[in-house]
């Protein structure tokens, strides 16, 4: 998965508990993203980052916060998980303009499946 | 904002027959367009991309797509389906490089 590691890969939690998902990359890419995938909706952007401590909201950011204190790590936090946040979460990076098939195209991690009971 | 509509939520074909997955987009700029594939319980893999070069784009595994500005379409095709093509396919549009919008997905079933 192009040097992207997501953890945990699976998590079951209860409503009202905090949850943090971690995305780690090994290639020092500037842009990192968090998406959620739900049936019938495709992938929807939650938050993205364009550098250390530089983040912005996506189309479904309510109930989520992010932090990026190091280039390699992008954390997604659910302060108080709800059942509507049961989903599969994907982290992605955007490799720069280096040419080739994968240049400037989102590259995804393997996903983190979160279940909120 | 840009958006994309995948016209079929599910397509079923027989092995060896052509595949057509339809995608229409909306964009205020000259968009970049992508198709991704997701096999069961896997991440997403890039199939092909259009970034204002040739309108007929060839991707991996024999897939190709044609950008038609007049029809605002970017349909994905393959001449002959293989069992291993069974997966979910996502059409993606991007106006400004770092804001990418996904379609809802098309599930492709391939019958023996």
């Amino acid at each position: 998965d192009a040097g992207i590691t997501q953890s945990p890969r699976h998590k079951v939690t209860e409503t009202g508990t905090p949850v943090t998902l971690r995305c780690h990359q090994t290639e020092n890419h500037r842009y990192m993203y968090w998406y959620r995938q739900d049936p019938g909706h495709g992938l929807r952007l939650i938050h993205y980052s364009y550098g250390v401590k530089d983040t912005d909201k996506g189309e479904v950011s309510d109930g989520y916060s992010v932090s990026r204190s190091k280039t390699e790590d992008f954390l997604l936090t659910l302060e108080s998980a709800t059942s509507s946040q049961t989903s599969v979460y994907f982290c992605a990076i955007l490799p720069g303009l280096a040419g080739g098939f994968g240049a400037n195209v989102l590259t995804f991690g393997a996903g983190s499946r979160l279940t909120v009971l | 904002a840009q958006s994309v509509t995948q016209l079929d939520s599910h397509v079923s074909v027989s092995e060896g027959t052509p595949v057509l997955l339809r995608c229409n987009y909306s964009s205020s700029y000259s968009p970049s367009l992508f198709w991704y594939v997701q096999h069961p319980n896997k991440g997403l893999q890039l199939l092909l991309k259009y970034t204002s070069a040739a309108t007929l784009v060839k991707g991996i595994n024999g897939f190709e797509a044609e950008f038609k500005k007049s029809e605002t379409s970017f349909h994905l095709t393959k001449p002959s389906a293989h069992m291993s093509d069974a997966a979910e396919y996502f059409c993606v549009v991007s106006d400004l490089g770092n804001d990418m919008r996904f379609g809802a997905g098309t599930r492709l079933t391939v019958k023996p």
Side-chain angles (χ1 to χ4, degrees):
Chain A
D1 292 309
I4 307 169
T5 304
Q6 292 186 227
S7 59
R9 293 290 314 281
H10 301 272
K11 185 172 182 65
V12 180
T13 191
E14 294 191 349
T15 298
T17 60
V19 176
T20 295
L21 305 180
R22 179 179 182 241
C23 179
H24 178 79
Q25 60 145 330
T26 59
E27 300 176 358
N28 288 322
H29 295 298
R30 180 181 174 192
Y31 285 89
M32 298 183 74
Y33 303 77
W34 277 108
Y35 286 85
R36 61 176 290 173
Q37 182 180 21
D38 304 288
H41 291 280
L43 276 75
R44 292 177 291 175
L45 182 64
I46 305 171
H47 282 279
Y48 69 97
S49 170
Y50 46 95
V52 174
K53 298 185 179 179
D54 291 324
T55 65
D56 206 348
K57 296 179 179 180
E59 57 182 307
V60 291
S61 59
D62 287 349
Y64 301 94
S65 62
V66 290
S67 66
R68 193 167 179 200
S69 58
K70 299 184 290 184
T71 299
E72 59 266 35
D73 289 326
F74 191 32
L75 304 180
L76 177 70
T77 297
L78 292 66
E79 300 291 348
S80 178
T82 68
S83 58
S84 65
Q85 294 176 310
T86 292
S87 187
V88 181
Y89 292 86
F90 285 97
C91 175
I93 60 172
L94 189 68
L97 292 170
F101 183 68
N104 222 30
V105 175
L106 283 177
T107 301
F108 289 87
S112 295
R113 183 176 296 275
L114 175 66
T115 302
V116 183
L117 301 174
Chain B
Q2 70 273 37
S3 66
V4 62
T5 301
Q6 293 184 240
L7 300 171
D8 306 291
S9 59
H10 185 212
V11 170
S12 181
V13 301
S14 296
E15 190 173 21
T17 64
V19 175
L20 170 64
L21 306 183
R22 298 183 295 165
C23 172
N24 286 352
Y25 71 90
S26 172
S27 171
S28 302
Y29 301 91
S30 295
S32 295
L33 292 155
F34 311 82
W35 277 98
Y36 282 83
V37 61
Q38 184 181 32
H39 288 94
N41 299 313
K42 299 290 187 182
L44 284 84
Q45 179 185 16
L46 178 69
L47 270 182
L48 50 80
K49 65 178 180 179
Y50 166 78
T51 54
S52 75
T55 56
L56 182 62
V57 181
K58 295 189 183 296
I60 62 174
N61 300 333
F63 285 94
E64 62 182 37
E66 186 171 9
F67 173 69
K68 292 187 176 180
K69 186 175 181 178
S70 61
E71 299 176 10
T72 61
S73 69
F74 190 57
H75 300 335
L76 181 71
T77 61
K78 183 174 181 178
S80 176
H82 191 272
M83 295 297 291
S84 61
D85 295 328
E88 186 141 22
Y89 292 79
F90 294 96
C91 182
V92 183
V93 63
S94 174
D95 272 351
L96 298 173
N98 59 350
D99 183 5
M100 305 181 76
R101 298 299 173 105
F102 283 72
T106 298
R107 181 166 300 280
L108 176 65
T109 300
V110 181
K111 297 175 290 186

